[in-house]
Amino acid sequence: MDLVLIESLRVDTVIGVYDWERTMTQTLVLDLELATDIRPAAADDAIDKTLDYAAISERIAEFAASQAFELVETFAERLAERLREEFNIPWLGLTVRKPGAVPTASAVGVRIERGSREEAVS
C-alpha cells in the first residue's frame, strides 16, 4: 500500500460547542494519509492515475468553509466520508487539530482511520 500525504493543511471553519465559537471561523490543522497504488501514475508520469493532492486539498478547504459543526469529531467523520466517496479512497488516516482550544495545550484533536487497508493493497 502506498500513501499520499497531506500534512499541516490549515482550513478555516465554524467549529465549537460554545455560543461565542459559533459566531466566528477558527483554524483547524489537518494531516492526511491516503491509500492508493502510485505505480500506474509513476509508470506514465500521469496525475490522473493517482490521488491529486492539490484537488483534494481544495475540496477540503471548500468543505470546511461550507460547514459548521460543534465537535471536531463530527468534522473528521464527515470529511472522511466525503473524501472516500468523492475520490474513491479505500483507506485514509485523518488527524484534525484545533489549536488554542485548551490554553495549556498547543492543540487538541482527533485521529481516525476509515476504510480497509486490505482493499487498498488489492
Side-chain angles (χ1 to χ4, degrees), residues 6 30 47 56 86 117:
I6 302 173
L30 285 60
I47 195 156
I56 293 169
E86 290 183 18
R117 288 181 181 247

Side-chain angles (χ1 to χ4, degrees), residues 1 7 11 19 28 33 36 40-41 51 63 72 74 76 85 90 100 103 107 109 113-114 118 120:
M1 174 181 59
E7 297 180 341
V11 297
D19 290 340
L28 298 178
E33 297 177 308
T36 191
L51 295 174
F63 174 86
V72 171
T74 307
E85 180 180 299
E113 294 183 19
R114 295 294 177 265
E118 290 77 27

Side-chain angles (χ1 to χ4, degrees), residues 53-69:
Y53 50 78
I56 293 169
S57 297
E58 183 178 313
R59 184 65 187 100
I60 293 169
E62 291 169 359
F63 174 86
S66 68
Q67 302 296 316
F69 299 112

